[in-house]
Amino acid sequence: MSHKLAVKKRTETGKNVNNRLRESGQVPINIIGGGNAASGSVNEKELEKLVHSGIRQSTLIELEVEGEGVQKVFVKEVQRFPEMDRIRHVDFYKVEPGKKIVTKIGIRTEGTAKGSKMGGQFDHLIHEIRVKTVPEDLLETLVLDVTDLDVGDFIKVSNLKVPASWEILVNGDPIVAAVLKTKALLAQERAEAKEAAGAKPTGKKGK
């Protein structure tokens, strides 16, 4: 999915200037990269539409900067007015090819776990991970196929299929998704074990 915004350049800054921008339907932004920060503004409605589309820190966005062409960026921070649900300011980081960045990648599961159909309880435990990677290998969301997970099966962070450049920043090797045994399944197993034990021959012969 393509994410684009048109950016108007601005040279004036300050509270009064920013307030006039907002009154005209624009939101002030900064584009940070290479040790510099360039100021601009974007249409508030288009920005809100982009933000509500579900973008993440790892979402690559194309900014059509006035007089400079397209710049690829990702969102560093979105500031909102505390008293109202309006965006106050946005900082974007300019993508520098080959230079590693630290960001968060969402994890979405796909399919119905086999174990769920057998009465197990499917748990999606980790919904995003922090990674260090080059921008070229960024993924907006990591899709995890859980179809083959049976009761008692699990997927750990080390089991995730990710680009070779990714360095996953996590302590240990936590479980991302699993199919757990429910109380009903455990009770059924105990009942079946008890029944099987009672059906076994004792080995004693009658006189």
Side-chain angles (χ1 to χ4, degrees):
M1 183 178 179
S2 179
H3 303 284
K4 297 181 180 180
L5 279 176
V7 178
K8 292 182 179 180
K9 294 178 70 176
R10 62 188 177 99
T11 54
E12 293 181 306
T13 59
K15 185 176 180 180
N16 291 335
V17 174
N18 289 344
N19 286 339
R20 287 197 296 271
L21 274 174
R22 296 184 188 102
E23 288 172 4
S24 67
Q26 296 282 308
V27 175
I29 69 164
N30 284 329
I31 304 171
I32 303 165
N36 300 311
S39 299
S41 66
V42 297
N43 181 275
E44 182 178 9
K45 289 183 179 179
E46 290 300 314
L47 180 60
E48 286 283 5
K49 183 179 177 181
L50 177 66
V51 171
H52 288 297
S53 69
I55 62 169
R56 309 179 65 87
Q57 285 185 340
S58 58
T59 303
L60 283 176
I61 300 166
E62 292 184 350
L63 297 184
E64 182 71 47
V65 182
E66 181 181 16
E68 296 184 10
V70 174
Q71 296 183 12
K72 290 187 177 181
V73 301
F74 57 93
V75 175
K76 179 191 177 189
E77 183 181 15
V78 177
Q79 297 177 13
R80 288 186 177 273
F81 287 101
E83 68 275 10
M84 62 183 83
D85 189 28
R86 286 185 64 188
I87 296 176
R88 180 177 183 174
H89 185 274
V90 181
D91 284 334
F92 293 100
Y93 261 145
K94 187 189 290 188
V95 170
E96 297 182 46
K99 184 176 180 180
K100 287 197 171 187
I101 58 172
V102 175
T103 188
K104 292 179 181 178
I105 308 290
I107 300 177
R108 175 172 60 85
T109 61
E110 184 177 72
T112 301
K114 179 168 61 177
S116 296
K117 299 175 183 178
M118 303 297 292
Q121 177 183 317
F122 174 74
D123 274 355
H124 183 184
L125 303 168
I126 297 178
H127 293 265
E128 66 178 18
I129 51 174
R130 288 180 73 244
V131 304
K132 186 176 184 180
T133 180
V134 293
E136 293 85 347
D137 287 342
L138 274 178
L139 293 177
E140 195 165 334
T141 305
L142 186 65
V143 180
L144 191 59
D145 186 353
V146 298
T147 308
D148 293 332
L149 278 187
D150 206 342
V151 177
D153 289 346
F154 52 81
I155 298 174
K156 290 188 172 184
V157 166
S158 60
N159 302 133
L160 298 176
K161 296 178 180 179
V162 301
S165 70
W166 282 26
E167 179 186 345
I168 300 179
L169 306 176
V170 64
N171 293 324
D173 189 16
I175 293 173
V176 178
V179 180
L180 308 176
K181 292 182 179 181
T182 61
K183 289 182 179 180
L185 273 181
L186 290 171
Q188 182 181 334
E189 286 181 358
R190 286 195 294 269
E192 289 174 352
K194 187 176 180 180
E195 183 179 341
K200 288 181 180 178
T202 59
K204 293 180 179 180
K205 294 181 180 180
K207 291 181 180 179

